[in-house]
Amino acid sequence: MDIKFNPQAGQISPMRTARFAASEEKEAQAAGQSQDMMEISRDGQRAAAEAPDFGQRWEKLDAALRGMTKDEFMSMVREQLGDQKLEVNWNAVVDPDGQIWCKSYFDSFVSQVTEFRDTAESAIKEYYAGAYQEALNSPLGRDLPSQLNFIAAKYQCSWTDYFDASMPAGERQWTYTQVRAMLTGSGLRLNDPYALKGIHIPTDEETAKNAKQAADDTISALVRQAKEK
């Protein structure tokens, strides 16, 4: 039987030969059969050489091993462990390949992004509802090209009769961008500082942190269920 222990920690480490005492059964077997052995490897010997007291400690261990059989040694180990129990890695029990955690993480991430998008789009459409209705009923015509010409004249072209000089330049540009998107059905800009002024825009870091917490909570719930079984 090969046993490895760490000379630095006073535990069994790789490859120096020691022998257990032969059991009565082994003594009764055919002559020439080898006894159970433990060896310390060359790497272990080099490591042992760096431990000043290893030689003395090895001699004590060697003598002790020669005075007991393998079964007696294992019995001694079990007795020393007593009622101690190895800690179970419950995360690995309920999610051995990590797929549950990953799925929970990405589900949460996507859910947060979707929720913010829906909230932001509703706020934007509500904020620009008046400008949108005005564009739909454009005095230049109610077809899409006429509607687009009207919002360009009102929000971008200062030389036209429709230009709204009372509106700050930044807000004019955002109004044109968002109303044009509403008219054409293209994507709204979700970083609008006017329409979303009272709405918190989560950062990627915040979204990732929340997703990680959601995934951790999922695994914790599975661990609790497993422990109750």
Side-chain angles (χ1 to χ4, degrees):
M1 177 182 70
D2 291 344
I3 303 178
K4 297 181 179 180
F5 61 112
N6 184 349
Q8 299 284 3
Q11 299 173 348
I12 297 180
S13 161
M15 294 266 329
R16 176 170 171 179
T17 302
R19 298 178 183 275
F20 289 113
S23 65
E24 293 181 359
E25 292 180 358
K26 285 189 177 292
E27 289 176 348
Q29 293 176 357
Q33 183 174 352
S34 64
Q35 297 170 318
D36 288 329
M37 268 189 322
M38 167 181 69
E39 293 186 340
I40 305 293
S41 68
R42 293 177 181 175
D43 290 340
Q45 292 179 36
R46 286 195 295 269
E50 298 175 1
D53 61 342
F54 177 72
Q56 183 178 11
R57 292 165 66 185
W58 172 260
E59 296 302 329
K60 290 181 180 180
L61 177 61
D62 188 29
L65 292 177
R66 288 179 181 276
M68 67 176 68
T69 65
K70 177 181 67 175
D71 291 338
E72 289 171 338
F73 175 77
M74 297 306 297
S75 177
M76 179 190 71
V77 171
R78 285 192 293 270
E79 182 179 349
Q80 289 181 352
L81 288 175
D83 294 331
Q84 297 180 35
K85 296 181 180 180
L86 294 176
E87 183 178 352
V88 177
N89 184 348
W90 285 101
N91 285 13
V93 170
V94 300
D95 188 22
D97 55 7
Q99 289 190 16
I100 296 176
W101 191 95
C102 289
K103 183 179 184 302
S104 298
Y105 178 94
F106 286 110
D107 284 350
S108 174
F109 197 102
V110 171
S111 176
Q112 292 178 74
V113 172
T114 301
E115 182 180 0
F116 170 71
R117 182 200 64 199
D118 293 344
T119 300
E121 287 183 349
S122 295
I124 291 168
K125 289 177 180 179
E126 182 178 355
Y127 187 83
Y128 294 109
Y132 175 65
Q133 287 299 321
E134 183 182 33
L136 288 178
N137 300 304
S138 162
L140 299 180
R142 297 191 179 183
D143 57 287
L144 182 59
S146 296
Q147 293 165 347
L148 295 178
N149 285 335
F150 171 73
I151 62 173
K154 182 168 183 177
Y155 302 114
Q156 291 192 314
C157 303
S158 60
W159 60 87
T160 68
D161 294 335
Y162 299 107
F163 184 72
D164 187 355
S166 66
M167 185 179 293
E171 187 173 0
R172 264 202 318 270
Q173 183 58 47
W174 272 104
T175 302
Y176 172 78
T177 299
Q178 301 291 44
V179 172
R180 190 179 194 284
M182 293 165 69
L183 289 170
T184 60
S186 56
L188 294 169
R189 297 282 296 276
L190 302 184
N191 58 337
D192 188 327
Y194 297 96
L196 303 180
K197 185 176 181 180
I199 298 176
H200 174 65
I201 301 177
T203 64
D204 289 344
E205 290 75 12
E206 290 172 331
T207 305
K209 181 180 179 181
N210 292 335
K212 179 181 182 302
Q213 186 61 56
D216 289 345
D217 290 345
T218 297
I219 299 302
S220 295
L222 291 176
V223 168
R224 285 195 298 272
Q225 294 173 13
K227 288 181 176 180
E228 291 171 358
K229 292 181 180 180

